[in-house]
Amino acid sequence: MPLERLIDVLEQLDQKHLILLELAKSKKKIVMENDINSLVQHLKQESRLLKQVEELEEARMEVSYELLRERGIRSQLNLTITELARLVFDPEDKNKLLSVQSRLSHTLSELKEVNAINQKLIEQSLVFIDYSLDLLVGRPNQEMTYMHPDQKSNQLARPGLLDTKA
């Protein structure tokens, strides 16, 4: 029955997203510790999981269309789970579907929050790295003003500590 398969696919999606959530939480610690090797491993795991989520999402759409056809609707609309739940008349089945939808929605919102924090941490790390490089190598001497193209500066590299002679 398409409804049971839809509920099953949604539960699988929730499980995959819970795993992604745990990876995102551990990635936060890895980024703070600057452990590049572990970060690479996490990214590989995330990539595999995202591919599985994509396949499950395609399966969800197929099963949703099957459910629509079973109910006599010949539409190819991409309906939400709430809209599909309106087509389910058995209260127990409807509660199962809405319960799975609620869990998945909660998991996705939590994953979104953790990913936003991770993104900010990575941006801060990049700003710090850029600042550190500027301290080591120094800023370019050339001012950021207009200069006639014929008056090009002869200095192309950034002078700094690493350019001095011993």
Side-chain angles (χ1 to χ4, degrees):
M1 179 174 204
L3 181 60
E4 292 169 356
R5 287 197 315 249
L6 178 60
I7 291 171
D8 182 53
V9 168
L10 290 174
E11 287 175 345
Q12 289 178 33
L13 274 169
D14 187 42
Q15 290 301 315
K16 297 297 179 190
H17 283 98
L18 283 171
I19 295 170
L20 281 169
L21 178 61
E22 290 304 314
L23 281 174
K25 287 178 180 178
S26 63
K27 189 190 325 180
K28 177 181 173 182
K29 183 179 176 189
I30 289 170
V31 169
M32 289 170 54
E33 293 174 352
N34 200 21
D35 186 359
I36 303 300
N37 294 329
S38 295
L39 184 62
V40 169
Q41 293 301 319
H42 268 65
L43 292 175
K44 287 179 184 178
Q45 284 180 307
E46 280 183 352
S47 178
R48 285 191 297 265
L49 281 169
L50 288 174
K51 189 169 187 154
Q52 293 171 3
V53 165
E54 184 179 328
E55 292 169 359
L56 285 170
E57 193 60 34
E58 289 175 13
R60 182 200 57 83
M61 290 181 67
E62 289 176 18
V63 173
S64 296
Y65 293 139
E66 283 181 39
L67 180 65
L68 288 174
R69 284 191 296 272
E70 180 188 76
R71 305 288 181 197
I73 300 172
R74 301 278 180 225
S75 175
Q76 291 294 323
L77 294 175
N78 192 7
L79 299 178
T80 64
I81 301 301
T82 305
E83 294 167 338
L84 287 173
R86 292 182 191 146
L87 301 173
V88 178
F89 300 112
D90 183 22
E92 187 177 315
D93 289 341
K94 191 176 217 172
N95 285 338
K96 282 182 187 177
L97 183 61
L98 291 175
S99 172
V100 171
Q101 177 213 17
S102 175
R103 285 194 319 260
L104 180 59
S105 177
H106 176 72
T107 303
L108 288 173
S109 64
E110 196 173 345
L111 180 62
K112 184 178 179 179
E113 289 174 17
V114 173
N115 279 337
I117 291 170
N118 285 344
Q119 181 179 359
K120 287 179 183 176
L121 283 172
I122 290 170
E123 287 172 0
Q124 288 175 354
S125 295
L126 291 174
V127 167
F128 178 74
I129 289 169
D130 187 48
Y131 175 74
S132 298
L133 281 174
D134 284 343
L135 284 177
L136 284 174
V137 180
R139 293 241 179 236
N141 288 337
Q142 181 180 355
E143 292 185 25
M144 299 302 264
T145 58
Y146 176 77
M147 181 182 292
H148 194 278
D150 293 336
Q151 299 174 344
K152 291 182 182 176
S153 175
N154 292 338
Q155 286 188 332
L156 296 175
R158 294 163 50 155
L161 297 175
L162 302 177
D163 292 338
T164 60
K165 293 183 180 180

